[in-house]
Amino acid sequence: MPIARPFQIVTYLTVTLLVLALSGTAPATAGPQSAQPAAQAPAAQATGTWQPPLSTRGRYIVDADGNRFRLEAANWDGAQGSWTGSGSSTDPANHHAGQDSYGIPLGLDRAPLSQLVSDFQALGINSIRLPFSNEMIHTTAPVPDTAVTANPQLRGRTPLEVYDAVVTALTGAGFAVILNNHTNTSRWCCGVDGNERWNSSQSTQQWADDWVFMARRYAANPRVVGADLYNEVRRDVLDDPNWGLGDGHDWYAAAQLAGDRILTEANPNLLIVVEGINWTGLPVDGLPHGRPMLTPVRTLSHTLVDAHKLVYSAHFYGYTGPRHSGATGIGEASDPRYQDLTRDELYQALADEAFFVTAEGRHYTAPVWISEFGIGANETGTAARTWFGNITDYFADQDADFAYWPLVGWAGHDDWALLSYDGSGHRSGILDGGDWRATAWHHLMSSAGRTGYVGPGTTWRMLSTDHGDQVESLRVRAGGDWDSGAYKAVCPDGLRLIGLAHSGGRGLCTDATAGDLRATGNAQTVVTDERFPAGGDWASGYTKLQCPAGQFVIGYSRRGERVSAVLCAPASAALRASGRTVWFDRSDNRPADGAGDDFAYGAYKGQCAAGEFIAGVAFTTRVGSAQGPAAVLCVPLPS
């Protein structure tokens, strides 16, 4: 989001008195415009040394050649809306910082698109986070001519068509563009404003449908590289969002749904960016409240149909804090802001709330993109200025992916912008001298980081059947429902199952040592009984579901806690039949190196070694016993 600036924040405590006044503020929307794809970026103009599409390898984003692509980005806002929700929306005074964006990227009334893009190139950034609202997608009225004064070729276009032109110009100049669903309504974010959740002003179904529409619209443009699913999910007046409870406020589940739909129905090449939860609770001393950010990822991470498309995201501003909403005055709690922390305290908070995700060899390992941070050019406070220096130092030291907020503003209005333009198109800002932020910005932009080829490494991914299926293999999905009525989980294509939990239905997938072990074709075997015994009685007295000779386990199903079936696939090489039994019904039994990390927090877990595969799962049907997985047969991989 753009976090609401301190003087604009309406505290959650105060807003509870305004519920009736806020009801019904979501603007009406028309039906979606034509889904005909926007113009593809001309290949001749697509300059730059990186090759799309982008994907991930461990904590790094890489291009099609496997070379590191660090997101050195900025946010070109405006298309998400700028109206602050009071007074006439046609009066600029009622818009953030007095800037009426007209629901399109800021600055098109002041400078030609070509000039804006050229100025962005001068900054040295390589990518743009481009916010939009769902209302923008559905609006059919053209923008007023005053919105595009400096770009008369855009007159008569709808906001979405202007957005198209901006995407084409950016990608044609070699920028990577990440689409960002910032708001539901075209209203400034981010308080209690009808945009708190992806489904605050619309259904989850409509939200996901809109994402499929947008991803399809730019699918022909390879430099549109990502889908940033939703901005700063947070509490509304009555309810908190959550991470994994399975209800209508479950951000974890909604992001999983949208991410898989985008990759399977619209564009398999996009990065899927999932931001953590920005705020829960009421910011009042004595009541629970805080900024969860990415902390829930440690115990419940996402696994998409493509195991190499997930990017996690977080936002940091000096005037907010780990438990500080950013509000001032009535309703403000006594918690410290990030700018109140010492350098060491700040760095620990950044690690705890976001950067732990970049640790290699975990089920949650992924790139972390700080897709918003920023500060005003007119800031004079020592604490705030020190915070900006400290956090940019941290990003430089951590070789972090980042995006500054905001990129463009009106001169004399939003002093946070990197580049500002007056009514005549004259530019001022960080490129033009006299901006105290320049030292920290240039340090960040010039900081050393990993470049060149990044090897594939080892991938670990969690499976969860907490509230339903998690079948992440496209090859398995093509075969239909393989155990109707049961909760099913299958590893993404290229990974194999290597660990299970005794209760709760969690699993762990990997490509360790063997890479993609599965043979070509979509052959698979559903095992529901002991019809394929081999290698002796490896779990005496227990029911054993074992793959046929030459196959290995890629998935499992359960009915309640009881094992229902295992799903097996043929291997691309000859497999051994005998192995070792790993029991985990009474304690954890995992490799000493902890590879993959705790994929089922609070439950007993069993896990084969990296050089093994699971050939069978054993459980008991004894009355009074937990009937979840009790043991697995771990067999050495082909040499």
Side-chain angles (χ1 to χ4, degrees), residues 81 126 189 347 518 549 595 619:
N126 60 18
C189 175
Y347 288 8
R518 189 171 180 179
F619 63 99

Side-chain angles (χ1 to χ4, degrees), residues 256-318:
Q256 180 75 41
L257 168 70
D260 275 347
R261 284 197 61 191
I262 289 167
L263 293 174
T264 57
E265 299 177 33
N267 186 350
N269 292 323
L270 292 181
L271 295 174
I272 303 299
V273 182
V274 180
E275 190 180 331
I277 294 176
N278 190 65
W279 185 262
T280 59
L282 297 174
V284 178
D285 288 336
L287 294 179
H289 59 268
R291 199 176 298 281
M293 304 295 271
L294 295 176
T295 54
V297 173
R298 193 181 296 275
T299 53
L300 182 58
S301 59
H302 289 88
T303 297
L304 301 170
V305 291
D306 186 330
H308 302 286
K309 291 296 184 182
L310 174 66
V311 174
Y312 281 117
S313 174
H315 294 176
F316 291 99
Y317 289 95

Side-chain angles (χ1 to χ4, degrees), residues 541-599:
Y542 283 69
T543 300
K544 294 169 284 295
L545 305 184
Q546 188 169 337
C547 293
Q551 299 193 26
F552 64 101
V553 178
I554 59 171
Y556 57 94
S557 60
R558 66 183 180 98
R559 298 175 189 273
E561 288 296 330
R562 179 173 177 171
V563 176
S564 178
V566 297
L567 185 66
C568 305
S572 57
L575 300 179
R576 304 181 192 183
S578 60
R580 65 188 180 99
T581 303
V582 172
W583 293 95
F584 52 95
D585 55 342
R586 298 178 185 177
S587 64
D588 277 4
N589 192 350
R590 301 178 57 237
D593 62 7
D597 207 66
D598 191 340
F599 61 92

Side-chain angles (χ1 to χ4, degrees), residues 377-391:
N378 296 332
E379 177 63 63
T380 58
T382 300
R385 284 193 173 204
T386 300
W387 166 84
F388 190 67
N390 285 340
I391 202 167

Side-chain angles (χ1 to χ4, degrees), residues 26-200:
T29 58
Q33 297 183 40
S34 169
Q36 182 176 354
Q40 183 174 356
Q45 295 179 344
T47 59
T49 58
W50 63 281
Q51 298 299 319
L54 302 182
S55 58
T56 68
R57 290 182 176 177
R59 62 146 291 182
Y60 298 106
I61 296 170
V62 298
D63 73 0
D65 294 328
N67 294 316
R68 167 78 185 289
F69 185 86
R70 184 188 189 192
L71 293 177
E72 298 173 320
N75 288 267
W76 191 2
D77 80 299
Q80 84 284 355
S82 57
W83 183 53
T84 56
S86 62
S88 171
S89 62
T90 62
D91 184 349
N94 299 321
H95 290 253
H96 169 68
Q99 303 173 136
D100 187 348
S101 73
Y102 303 99
I104 60 175
L106 276 165
L108 296 175
D109 58 336
R110 299 185 167 226
L113 185 50
S114 59
Q115 178 188 336
L116 293 167
V117 171
S118 178
D119 290 347
F120 302 165
Q121 290 175 317
L123 283 170
I125 57 177
N126 60 18
S127 40
I128 302 289
R129 182 177 184 244
L130 197 61
F132 68 88
S133 71
N134 296 92
E135 183 181 354
M136 182 205 79
I137 299 173
H138 298 267
T139 298
T140 58
V143 299
D145 288 352
T146 52
V148 291
T149 302
N151 291 274
Q153 76 278 13
L154 301 179
R155 288 176 181 170
R157 300 196 189 188
T158 66
L160 179 57
E161 290 167 342
V162 173
Y163 193 90
D164 292 341
V166 166
V167 169
T168 298
L170 290 170
T171 56
F175 288 102
V177 170
I178 297 178
L179 311 175
N180 163 233
N181 185 198
H182 210 81
T183 52
N184 303 159
T185 66
S186 292
R187 178 176 167 184
W188 182 256
C189 175
C190 285
V192 179
D193 51 23
N195 296 305
E196 297 86 359
R197 292 188 301 275
W198 65 98
N199 59 356
S200 290

Side-chain angles (χ1 to χ4, degrees), residues 383-629:
R385 284 193 173 204
T386 300
W387 166 84
F388 190 67
N390 285 340
I391 202 167
T392 50
D393 284 350
Y394 185 86
F395 295 164
D397 293 344
Q398 295 295 315
D399 193 10
D401 299 88
F402 60 87
Y404 185 91
W405 181 282
L407 176 55
V408 175
W410 291 2
H413 290 256
D414 189 352
D415 72 303
W416 285 54
L418 288 176
L419 304 173
S420 296
Y421 298 86
D422 65 17
S424 300
H426 179 266
R427 187 193 72 202
S428 58
I430 206 161
L431 290 174
D432 301 296
D435 192 320
W436 72 268
R437 301 170 299 174
T439 299
W441 173 256
H442 293 319
H443 170 57
L444 177 58
M445 289 296 296
S446 62
S447 60
R450 180 163 183 172
T451 60
Y453 184 75
V454 178
T458 299
T459 300
W460 303 90
R461 288 291 181 262
M462 169 191 285
L463 291 176
S464 170
T465 57
D466 291 4
H467 303 290
D469 292 352
Q470 192 175 18
V471 176
E472 298 305 320
S473 165
L474 295 176
R475 297 165 74 178
V476 172
R477 288 188 181 192
D481 190 344
W482 53 273
D483 191 3
S484 181
Y487 281 178
K488 298 168 286 294
V490 184
C491 295
D493 294 326
L495 307 186
R496 68 185 185 278
L497 190 69
I498 199 171
L500 283 172
H502 180 52
S503 58
R506 299 279 179 88
L508 182 67
C509 305
T510 191
D511 58 3
T513 306
D516 189 355
L517 186 60
R518 189 171 180 179
T520 58
N522 291 340
Q524 59 189 37
T525 303
V526 181
V527 179
T528 58
D529 54 35
E530 294 188 319
R531 72 181 70 182
F532 300 113
D537 190 352
W538 53 272
S540 180
Y542 283 69
T543 300
K544 294 169 284 295
L545 305 184
Q546 188 169 337
C547 293
Q551 299 193 26
F552 64 101
V553 178
I554 59 171
Y556 57 94
S557 60
R558 66 183 180 98
R559 298 175 189 273
E561 288 296 330
R562 179 173 177 171
V563 176
S564 178
V566 297
L567 185 66
C568 305
S572 57
L575 300 179
R576 304 181 192 183
S578 60
R580 65 188 180 99
T581 303
V582 172
W583 293 95
F584 52 95
D585 55 342
R586 298 178 185 177
S587 64
D588 277 4
N589 192 350
R590 301 178 57 237
D593 62 7
D597 207 66
D598 191 340
F599 61 92
Y601 188 79
Y604 294 151
K605 295 164 287 295
Q607 182 178 329
C608 297
E612 297 176 321
F613 66 89
I614 294 179
V617 179
F619 63 99
T620 182
T621 57
R622 291 193 297 268
V623 175
S625 298
Q627 298 183 358

